[in-house]
Amino acid sequence: MSSLDSHADNPYLAHHFETEEQQTESCTLGMWLFLAQEVMFFGGLFLAYAIYRSLYPEAWSAGSHTLDVVVGGINTVFLLLSSFTMAMGVYYAQTGKQKQLALMLLATLALGITFVTVKWFFEYAPKIEAGVFPGKLWAPNPANHHYGQLAFFEGQGLQMFFLLYFVMTGMHALHMIIGFGILLVLIVMTMQGKFHAQRYLPILFFGLYWHFVDIVWVFLFPMFYLVS
Amino acid sequence: MSTEHLVEPSADFPVRDYGPPRVHYLNWRHTIASWLLSRDHKRIGIMYLVSISIFFVVGSLFAAIFRLELLTPEGDFLQADTYNKFFTLHGVVMIFFFLIPSIPAVLGNFLIPLMIGAKDVAFPKLNLASWYIFMVGGTIGVAIILLGGLDTGWTFYTPLSSSYANTHVFLAAMLVFITGFSSILTGLNFLVTIHKMRAPGLTWFRLPLFIWAHYATSVIQVLGTPVLAITVFLVGIERIWGVGIFDPALGGDPILFQHMFWFYSHPAVYIMILPGMGVISEVIACFSRNRVFGYEFIAFSSVAIAIIGFLVWGHHMYVSGQSMYANLVFSLLTMLVAVPSAIKIFNWTATLYKGNVIWETPMLYAVGFIGLFGIGGGTGLFLGTTGLDVPLHDTYFVVAHFHYVMVGGMVMAYLAGIHFWWPKITGKMYAQTPAKISAIVVFVGFNFTFFPQFLAGWNGMPRRYHSYNADFQIWNVLSTAGATVLGIGFLMPAFYLGWSLFFGKDAGSNPWGARGLEWEACTSPPIPHNFEEIPVVTQEAYAYTGEETVSV
Amino acid sequence: MSEHHIVTPKTYLKNLAVLMVLMALTIIAAKWPVLHISQTVNLAMALTIAVAKMMCIILIFMHVKFSSRLVMVFASAGFFWLIILLTLTFCDYASRFWHSPTAVSPYLG
């Protein structure tokens, strides 16, 4: 088959690819390489976490005990559910069911926004208010019933725990917020009928990104909330 | 000048001259927008060529000024703080805006699709985006220079960078972060292109070694660069937040910064040199009229360098306070990474043996590369041994060592590549005599600049100072004189290559009588989508018969 | 369109159930006093469960189980390199004070 024919048949085949298969496989590999890059990007943070946790086990234990496992656990459920709805979105995209696809993407977005909202109101804001924010603002309020105990911790590395907590969960949240933007675009495109059984790769690739962000949280949750 | 040999056409592609096409990638559209919005890998390659050439001039000017300062032992017109800024900016500009993008982004972009018989890279829009990201980084770089510079050294060591420096470290962190993503996306694009866009019949072991080298480079770009990105991100946070993970006041460890920094920045040395090695393999094979000796060994040595290169970063940290047991491990691994580099040198030399060697300009640069890279790599082994590194670490010996690799190796390879593929890129042939003279001037000037620095360093002259003990003056005078010659050598190509654009004669599709799809199945300059029809490959790379014609 | 494997909703649902169970397990392992053996053992349990969850997500949700070998290699590359980064850096931190047993380590003392 000459390249001209296959291009004439298929409006979705970019000029520089010979076959649809080549295009699909190329995009898939590209997406996975992007995720490999993301692994190393977060990897630097995980390295810092690992080194400092091994140096300051007491600080890790003290800091972790003030984090709310219930809030973290509920948020984990939200995130795992959003991964499930995203996966279902991919299924409906592959089978060409546009309405269900739009619903699943909306559900994913709603769950994601819930996660970030809970994170802000039940985690970041109370900490900052109680003076549990590393740097110039660091002044744990001894009167605070939840975080007050941190004021009495006598050892090194407590601010480091919270610094890594804010940087790592913040970087994770930032990835989610970027995801919200992409999701919105995908939802609009779905409503315009741009995705169907012949064209669903953007949904598939966004799904990969979303699941990757989920994986990061799967590690962050025990690393911060469950230090014994 | 013209040398005629008998022609024996190969089975696949008759060695024939297509002549310049009426419509090619350079002239098919003329507007500025057709360049700035072009998704053609060739035009993007040219855009990189122009940008990095400008950065190279800027970086060289910084070097010229502090080389002039070092002519005398006293501080004459640069004082300590300005001197710090000049060598820092020289390093930052040269590394992030010249050495890392040079061969991959210019020659790689231009040649990879041509060499593998593709119409473009796998993601043309992403390719264009990489250039824009690069230019955003470049703009920040210019801003830093205009706002008063940077004085941390290109390594941004903490706590100097995070707590003490009063210059634009935050901007520099942004610069590295952003430019890094340009590099990551280029690498990603190349990896997918090499995996998925090869022409029918072009199996892995028929690929030109240039492609293997770029594959290995891209692996490092994709997997190493993000670690640097997050590292400078953390330094940036430390600057604006006033508190950071490398801050000893919080129990942080500045040496952790060095681990994370060198995890990228040592492999980054291979980002700089591996594509150069790819160029040398092409040039040596072409001008020896010989199959590359031990093709598989050179191919796999590139991959080996990409992997082992990630295991040796600690050899930058022998005097940092790193554990001495870790020093031993890193030292041992450092000896290992020398093996694949040595294999390459051995195989290139063996390719010359009994070859029909033709001394054209690219070949002069390539042979210069082998010698200079040999010295640069060999002295790397001196520095890789823990005992010898301690007295030499902060001396000019290190400066000379890495300039032998970076300039003697990488820049020579880049110039070899530019001279080799110039007729393909522009369709015009440059004048041979000045080109050969410039190759010799660069070689001589380079050695005069940097060999004295080995001696100065060996005798104990420390790096990074604007004034020095008068005993070292002789080496510095030699070095500055050499730098002047080197500068002239670097300027010459600007003239004769520029001249060739307007007055050079048409090069023809294959002036060197070289093998490879870019020469044998492609016009000079190539047409917008590279090939009239996608070629089918039935034979290995470098099927030289020894009887190809050079017509220049 | 070349065929991507279509994973059924049933498989996704099963996977979600497994993930939820693993999440419950990781909380129990950390918070149930009976299982407080040592920090190292608890960390090992937490990490093992996290890796198991990650594999569920990668293999099923991200379709790697049904993908080409090349995709598997690309998917593992990042993790392989991450292990290099962690291992060699730990080489340094673990052995940094071996040679001066009398000195009080600011880190591990």
Side-chain angles (χ1 to χ4, degrees), chain A residues 161-173:
Chain A
F161 174 83
F162 282 101
L163 181 60
L164 281 168
Y165 167 81
F166 276 108
V167 170
M168 292 179 85
T169 57
M171 184 58 81
H172 173 258

Side-chain angles (χ1 to χ4, degrees), chain A residues 3 7 15-18 22-23 25-31 33-34 36-38 40-45 47-48 51-52 55-56 133-136 156-160 163-164 166-167 171, chain B residues 119-124 177 181 184-185 188 191-192 195-198 222-223 226-227 229-230 233-234 237 240-253 256 259-260 263 529 534:
Chain A
S3 58
H7 282 91
H15 75 88
H16 58 293
F17 289 113
E18 289 303 297
Q22 185 189 29
Q23 174 169 308
E25 286 175 4
S26 299
C27 294
T28 310
L29 283 184
M31 191 61 209
L33 278 176
F34 177 76
Q37 176 278 128
E38 286 276 14
M40 294 309 288
F41 185 78
F42 278 97
L45 292 172
L47 172 71
I51 298 290
Y52 290 131
L55 297 182
Y56 308 118
F133 190 76
K136 290 168 199 125
Q156 262 197 316
L158 194 58
Q159 284 199 57
M160 187 64 77
L163 181 60
L164 281 168
F166 276 108
V167 170
M171 184 58 81
Chain B
K119 288 181 196 157
D120 208 323
V121 292
F123 309 115
F177 189 91
F181 277 95
I184 291 171
L185 296 177
L188 185 155
L191 283 177
V192 176
H195 265 286
K196 286 292 162 198
M197 309 291 282
R198 283 172 283 131
V222 171
L223 293 169
V227 178
I230 193 69
F233 176 82
L234 290 168
I237 283 188
I240 49 169
W241 201 335
V243 52
I245 75 155
F246 307 119
D247 182 358
L250 292 195
D253 181 12
L256 181 61
H259 276 296
M260 293 168 72
F263 177 82
H529 287 152
I534 294 299

Side-chain angles (χ1 to χ4, degrees), chain B residues 158-169:
Chain B
T158 54
L160 171 62
S161 63
S162 51
S163 307
Y164 299 109
N166 296 318
T167 46
H168 300 281
V169 178

Side-chain angles (χ1 to χ4, degrees), chain B residues 419-439:
Chain B
H419 284 89
F420 187 48
W421 283 291
W422 184 262
K424 181 55 62 184
I425 293 171
T426 65
K428 301 288 183 185
M429 185 50 91
Y430 48 88
Q432 294 302 301
T433 313
K436 286 178 184 171
I437 293 172
S438 94

Side-chain angles (χ1 to χ4, degrees), chain B residues 189-490:
Chain B
N189 221 333
F190 286 176
L191 283 177
V192 176
T193 306
I194 295 169
H195 265 286
K196 286 292 162 198
M197 309 291 282
R198 283 172 283 131
L202 190 52
T203 55
W204 283 92
F205 290 100
R206 286 176 183 169
L207 284 173
L209 290 165
F210 183 86
I211 301 291
W212 278 93
H214 273 80
Y215 187 86
T217 309
S218 302
V219 169
I220 304 174
Q221 285 178 307
V222 171
L223 293 169
T225 320
V227 178
L228 178 73
I230 193 69
T231 311
V232 296
F233 176 82
L234 290 168
V235 172
I237 283 188
E238 201 159 337
R239 286 295 285 195
I240 49 169
W241 201 335
V243 52
I245 75 155
F246 307 119
D247 182 358
L250 292 195
D253 181 12
I255 298 174
L256 181 61
F257 170 86
Q258 296 188 25
H259 276 296
M260 293 168 72
F261 178 81
W262 288 115
F263 177 82
Y264 164 76
S265 295
H266 187 76
V269 175
Y270 299 110
I271 296 181
M272 303 175 210
I273 198 72
L274 269 169
M277 293 167 158
V279 169
I280 299 306
S281 295
E282 301 298 314
V283 173
I284 294 276
C286 173
F287 295 105
S288 311
R289 295 292 187 245
N290 221 347
R291 279 156 207 252
V292 166
F293 180 82
Y295 171 96
E296 289 86 353
F297 282 90
I298 295 195
F300 282 125
S301 68
S302 291
V303 179
I305 286 175
I307 295 171
I308 305 175
F310 271 102
L311 309 178
V312 304
W313 79 80
H315 68 217
H316 294 269
M317 300 165 57
Y318 291 157
V319 295
S320 70
Q322 174 179 245
S323 143
M324 70 180 208
Y325 301 96
N327 287 355
L328 292 178
V329 172
F330 281 120
S331 182
L332 188 72
L333 291 165
T334 302
M335 300 299 137
L336 280 184
V337 81
V339 174
S341 306
I343 287 176
K344 284 181 195 281
I345 297 220
F346 178 85
N347 286 11
W348 291 324
T349 323
T351 308
L352 294 171
Y353 179 68
K354 286 194 176 169
N356 182 5
V357 177
I358 305 165
W359 295 102
E360 295 297 341
T361 316
M363 188 63 163
L364 292 180
Y365 278 110
V367 173
F369 170 97
I370 295 180
L372 299 181
F373 177 74
I375 295 174
T379 50
L381 287 177
F382 292 25
L383 295 168
T385 49
T386 49
L388 195 50
D389 180 67
V390 173
L392 290 179
H393 190 88
D394 279 316
T395 71
Y396 265 83
F397 193 89
V398 174
V399 178
H401 153 67
F402 70 72
H403 279 89
Y404 261 82
V405 181
M406 297 291 100
V407 186
M410 168 59 215
V411 180
M412 290 291 269
Y414 176 67
L415 288 172
I418 290 289
H419 284 89
F420 187 48
W421 283 291
W422 184 262
K424 181 55 62 184
I425 293 171
T426 65
K428 301 288 183 185
M429 185 50 91
Y430 48 88
Q432 294 302 301
T433 313
K436 286 178 184 171
I437 293 172
S438 94
I440 293 163
V441 171
V442 166
F443 183 81
V444 171
F446 172 82
N447 280 299
F448 264 104
T449 311
F450 291 104
F451 202 80
Q453 297 186 6
F454 273 129
L455 302 174
W458 188 261
N459 287 305
M461 179 175 168
R463 341 161 28 183
R464 302 194 183 103
Y465 290 96
H466 71 298
S467 63
Y468 53 86
N469 188 314
D471 292 348
F472 298 119
Q473 188 170 11
I474 175 69
W475 309 123
N476 282 287
V477 171
L478 276 175
S479 184
T480 302
T484 316
V485 177
L486 183 60
I488 294 169
F490 283 149

